[in-house]
């Protein structure tokens, strides 16, 4: 009888440990390679079976939602908050666009969020909604300051970020110095033409 009673807490401890191992493996895999990493690789890194991921998290979307805060959301929301502290509207959009492109380069999972790779995830769609709102706010502030070409819109900013996500996800990854140089070209292109 004593053995039966003590096996219940051990099973719960094992289940908790498995869940934490899966979470840690998923965070590492998603940050390094994006949200589409095969679940078999996450399971192997966690030392569990793929079935355990389904049992604990209900599948890929459940696992993504369990870790997306650590993988993408926390950093993106902090970036948006830091951008809001930049007083000058022109400097603000330059900071924001540079920081967004940096996040896209470093975090493949962010590109999966932007591309809405998993539209059934309410959390991912909420991250997209917050990002779209930030785009509109930051572009409006820069336009009010005269820091953008008059025809440049929040939709244009959104398209530029999505185009970059597609290029990084499906194209050849550029060297960092080339990528940063292209970010400067992009910033020059959205600024008003000097008289």
């Amino acid at each position: 009888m004593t053995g039966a009673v003590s096996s219940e807490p051990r099973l719960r401890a094992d289940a908790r440990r498995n869940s934490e191992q899966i979470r840690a493996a998923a965070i590492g895999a998603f940050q390094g390679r994006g949200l589409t990493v095969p679940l078999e690789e996450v399971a192997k890194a966690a030392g569990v079976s793929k079935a355990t991921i389904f049992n604990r998290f209900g599948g890929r979307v459940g696992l993504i939602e369990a870790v997306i805060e650590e993988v993408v959301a926390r950093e993106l929301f902090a970036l948006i908050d830091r951008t809001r502290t930049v007083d000058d509207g022109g400097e603000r959009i330059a900071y924001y666009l540079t920081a967004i492109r940096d996040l896209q380069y470093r975090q493949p999972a962010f590109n999966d969020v932007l591309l809405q790779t998993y539209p059934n995830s309410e959390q991912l769609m909420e991250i997209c909604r917050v990002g779209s709102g930030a785009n509109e706010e930051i572009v409006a502030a820069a336009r009010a300051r005269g820091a953008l070409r008059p025809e440049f819109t929040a939709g244009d900013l959104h398209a530029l970020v999505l185009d970059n996500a597609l290029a990084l996800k499906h194209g050849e990854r550029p060297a960092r110095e080339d990528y940063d140089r292209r970010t400067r070209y992009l910033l020059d292109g959205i600024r008003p033409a000097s008289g």
Side-chain angles (χ1 to χ4, degrees):
M1 180 88 63
T2 305
V5 172
S6 65
S7 69
E8 179 80 14
R10 187 172 56 241
L11 179 62
R12 289 185 183 144
D14 289 346
R16 278 194 305 274
R17 186 173 53 250
N18 283 347
S19 293
E20 286 309 309
Q21 288 171 324
I22 293 166
R23 283 177 49 80
I27 290 168
F30 293 160
Q31 284 180 332
R33 296 185 32 225
L35 301 179
T36 59
V37 169
L39 288 183
E40 292 84 0
E41 293 182 24
V42 175
K44 183 177 179 182
V48 301
S49 70
K50 183 178 171 182
T52 303
I53 293 175
F54 279 85
N55 289 338
R56 299 283 177 253
F57 297 95
R60 180 180 300 277
V61 170
L63 180 58
I64 288 170
E65 290 188 341
V67 299
I68 199 64
E69 177 71 23
E70 293 93 334
V71 173
V72 169
R74 186 177 300 145
E75 187 171 2
L76 174 63
F77 296 159
L79 181 160
I80 291 169
D81 287 343
R82 281 191 306 274
T83 300
R84 288 178 173 141
T85 68
V86 178
D87 290 330
D88 180 87
E91 291 175 18
R92 185 180 309 154
I93 194 153
Y95 174 85
Y96 180 69
L97 188 53
T98 301
I100 287 290
R101 284 180 54 90
D102 174 65
L103 183 57
Q104 287 184 276
Y105 191 85
R106 290 183 297 101
Q107 290 286 9
F110 182 49
N111 295 315
D112 289 325
V113 171
L114 290 169
L115 295 170
Q116 300 183 3
T117 305
Y118 297 100
N120 293 334
S121 169
E122 291 181 24
Q123 286 180 302
L124 267 60
M125 295 302 99
E126 177 61 13
I127 293 168
C128 289
R129 186 195 65 73
V130 170
S132 291
N135 287 352
E136 291 176 17
E137 170 192 334
I138 292 162
V139 167
R143 288 183 73 168
R145 178 81 173 166
L148 290 174
R149 291 178 175 270
E151 69 275 13
F152 188 82
T153 67
D156 293 324
L157 177 58
H158 182 74
L160 290 171
V161 171
L162 284 183
D163 289 348
N164 192 47
L166 285 166
L168 288 169
K169 181 150 181 82
H170 300 293
E172 186 175 327
R173 186 177 181 81
R176 184 65 200 231
E177 56 272 11
D178 293 335
Y179 185 81
D180 290 343
R181 181 171 39 85
R182 292 170 189 147
T183 298
R184 291 189 297 274
Y185 292 155
L186 179 60
L187 288 170
D188 288 344
I190 67 174
R191 291 181 175 122
S194 53

